Amino acid sequence: MDSFTCIFLVFMLCFSAVGSRPHLSSNNVRTRASLTDAEGVCSAVVETQNYPCHEHKVTTQDGFILSLQNIPYGRSDKTAGERPPVLVQHGLFLDAISWLLSPPDQSLALILADEGFDVWLVSTRGTKYSRGHTSLSPDDDDYWFWTWDELAAYDLPATFQYIHDQTGQKLHYVGHSQGTLIALAALSDGQLVSMMRSAALLSPVAYLGKVTSPLARFAAENLLAEALHLLRINEFNPRGKAVIDLLMQVCKTKDIDCTNLLTSFTGENCCLNSSIVSVLLQHEPQPTSTKNMIHLSQMVREGMIRKFDYEDEKENMKHYGTPTPPLYEMTNISNDLPLFMAYGGADALSVTKDVKMLLDRLQGHKGDKLVVEYTEEYGHVDYVLAVDAKQVVYDPIIAFFRLQ
């Protein structure tokens, strides 16, 4: 096996063997062995905790059918009433279940429900519960012809509109990683503003030019996603059996410490425990499109946030009317929109230098409308699964929402 193939397989493993050194222990993490593909998120992970949950479907303008769950209230107050709606959006390679893997007093979605919010969860197109389409199958190449551009232009607006119509209220929003990227892109294009009450952005991503993750940077600089595209691998599925089998052999023969690849990719996560990592591995990572991976790689190489570059002037003209892709201008985001941003010093993807570049673009934001929280020891995944995330991140978010 040549060196390029080995490095490529290691890159893939960072998404399929998500592991982290255990720092804390807990005996209160739920096992998920009974989950089947036929079950929905509500029956699998919400109702079992004695929370009400309703399944919904949202169809985007370009035909994707998204899975959406509503937790209308928590365990302490059984009346739905006029609760402020909040949409919680996961990041890359995850789905809605990622917000529900910890015990109820540590899972953001359930904490919000217990704190009086009308909670909505959505899974991005192409993931396990959102693989439907009005005319295409995941086996069709065209099904995977999208990037986060389409998530910002179609998925997020459709989801916002659906919840707004259901509740008659403006929404609070929580996004993590790619969930922040698509919100920032949509907001910069003038979308969502009329339906959004405020937004909490965890591990915010707008710029990726300074990522310190050696695996992510190597993949971007060596055009690994582009190589997959040339092989007509349009679904980027990190859990494919053939890939996993090869990766396990690489781990055995090349002295690769596979248990630390999550840290190598995302940065050190201070506050996960071994039990939650095991639970996570039963559900994640989820697929995305290879085209989306190319787009993210372009961001790493170029240090800009702009639409997908077809790297052909004629193709760019066809799609955008310009020979180069247009930028998403962060300065276009309304300076009246309340924003809460939280980032960590150990994050190798949403790194401090890139976040500060974003904050520089938002310096026109009114002082009382932008709250920034920095946690030195937090890594990328801590914002979703840390055992102390309630105290460190979620309680401040709830306090912020209640002021809006």
Side-chain angles (χ1 to χ4, degrees):
M1 185 179 294
D2 60 40
S3 60
F4 177 85
T5 302
C6 288
I7 295 172
F8 171 72
L9 292 174
V10 171
F11 163 68
M12 293 290 285
L13 183 58
C14 74
F15 306 114
S16 57
V18 183
S20 177
R21 292 201 309 269
H23 295 272
L24 301 168
S25 61
S26 170
N27 294 321
N28 195 29
V29 178
R30 303 191 301 280
T31 59
R32 324 263 326 152
S34 62
L35 182 64
T36 68
D37 288 344
E39 292 180 308
V41 173
C42 283
S43 61
V45 295
V46 182
E47 293 168 351
T48 55
Q49 300 300 304
N50 297 318
Y51 286 81
C53 189
H54 307 295
E55 295 282 354
H56 297 256
K57 295 290 184 183
V58 178
T59 302
T60 68
Q61 186 177 340
D62 58 346
F64 285 85
I65 302 170
L66 310 180
S67 167
L68 183 66
Q69 291 75 43
N70 175 219
I71 308 173
Y73 50 86
R75 295 176 299 180
S76 58
D77 184 357
K78 302 294 185 181
T79 59
E82 277 285 301
R83 292 167 172 259
V86 54
L87 172 62
V88 186
Q89 172 71 62
H90 62 83
L92 183 69
F93 299 121
L94 301 176
D95 62 3
I97 279 182
S98 62
W99 299 107
L100 298 159
L101 297 179
S102 298
D105 60 351
Q106 295 175 19
S107 295
L108 175 60
L110 302 182
I111 292 170
L112 286 167
D114 283 335
E115 290 291 334
F117 293 90
D118 179 15
V119 180
W120 297 76
L121 301 167
V122 67
S123 294
T124 296
R125 62 175 66 186
T127 58
K128 177 178 178 178
Y129 295 101
S130 293
R131 292 179 74 83
H133 192 278
T134 55
S135 62
L136 297 172
S137 159
D139 294 330
D140 298 326
D141 289 346
D142 286 349
Y143 179 96
W144 298 102
F145 196 68
W146 52 266
T147 81
W148 58 262
D149 280 335
E150 283 70 33
L151 305 186
Y154 300 126
D155 289 32
L156 204 54
T159 305
F160 258 76
Q161 188 66 59
Y162 183 89
I163 298 171
H164 184 265
D165 291 346
Q166 290 285 313
T167 65
Q169 299 184 64
K170 289 186 175 183
L171 284 65
H172 295 294
Y173 178 80
V174 180
H176 174 250
S177 191
Q178 182 178 261
T180 71
L181 173 61
I182 62 176
L184 290 166
L187 290 168
S188 73
D189 277 350
Q191 299 196 75
L192 310 181
V193 178
S194 64
M195 295 181 286
M196 183 180 285
R197 188 176 304 191
S198 70
L201 307 179
L202 312 181
S203 297
V205 171
Y207 303 97
L208 289 172
K210 305 297 183 184
V211 295
T212 57
S213 163
L215 290 173
R217 183 161 291 282
F218 178 91
E221 293 178 350
N222 289 275
L223 309 180
L224 297 189
E226 285 83 349
L228 284 176
H229 177 68
L230 289 174
L231 294 172
R232 296 182 61 84
I233 300 174
N234 297 306
E235 177 182 2
F236 192 97
N237 182 5
R239 298 179 74 95
K241 184 180 185 302
V243 173
I244 297 298
D245 289 345
L246 285 172
L247 291 173
M248 293 306 101
Q249 293 303 314
V250 171
C251 289
K252 292 177 182 177
T253 62
K254 298 297 180 181
D255 298 321
I256 298 171
D257 184 3
C258 296
T259 60
N260 287 325
L261 280 176
L262 177 63
T263 295
S264 299
F265 181 64
T266 68
E268 187 77 28
N269 294 287
C270 71
C271 304
L272 308 186
N273 62 60
S274 56
S275 297
I276 196 64
V277 171
S278 297
V279 173
L280 178 70
L281 280 171
Q282 296 180 41
H283 311 287
E284 321 293 358
Q286 291 289 322
T288 187
S289 72
T290 299
K291 186 180 178 184
N292 190 38
M293 296 302 297
I294 295 173
H295 197 178
L296 293 166
S297 297
Q298 291 174 353
M299 294 175 67
V300 175
R301 293 194 297 267
E302 300 165 1
M304 295 185 289
I305 174 172
R306 64 178 184 174
K307 294 183 184 293
F308 181 83
D309 189 353
Y310 289 89
E311 298 182 351
D312 178 280
E313 288 191 2
K314 289 183 179 179
E315 278 298 306
N316 284 334
M317 285 294 297
K318 175 183 174 182
H319 287 86
Y320 311 123
T322 56
T324 58
L327 295 170
Y328 290 97
E329 298 288 356
M330 295 296 99
T331 54
N332 289 344
I333 296 175
S334 172
N335 59 15
D336 286 326
L337 179 67
L339 296 176
F340 178 101
M341 293 199 184
Y343 67 106
D347 197 326
L349 295 174
S350 176
V351 301
T352 299
K353 288 182 179 179
D354 283 330
V355 174
K356 287 184 175 178
M357 187 180 301
L358 170 61
L359 293 174
D360 285 344
R361 301 294 191 275
L362 299 176
Q363 61 184 349
H365 230 71
K366 294 183 179 179
D368 62 341
K369 298 294 185 180
L370 179 60
V371 174
V372 180
E373 179 188 90
Y374 173 74
T375 305
E376 179 68 35
E377 67 273 20
Y378 258 37
H380 201 71
V381 184
D382 285 314
Y383 285 94
V384 180
L385 294 173
V387 295
D388 61 352
K390 181 180 185 299
Q391 294 76 30
V392 175
V393 186
Y394 303 159
D395 285 347
I397 288 175
I398 291 168
F400 175 77
F401 282 168
R402 284 178 172 155
L403 291 175
Q404 311 312 319

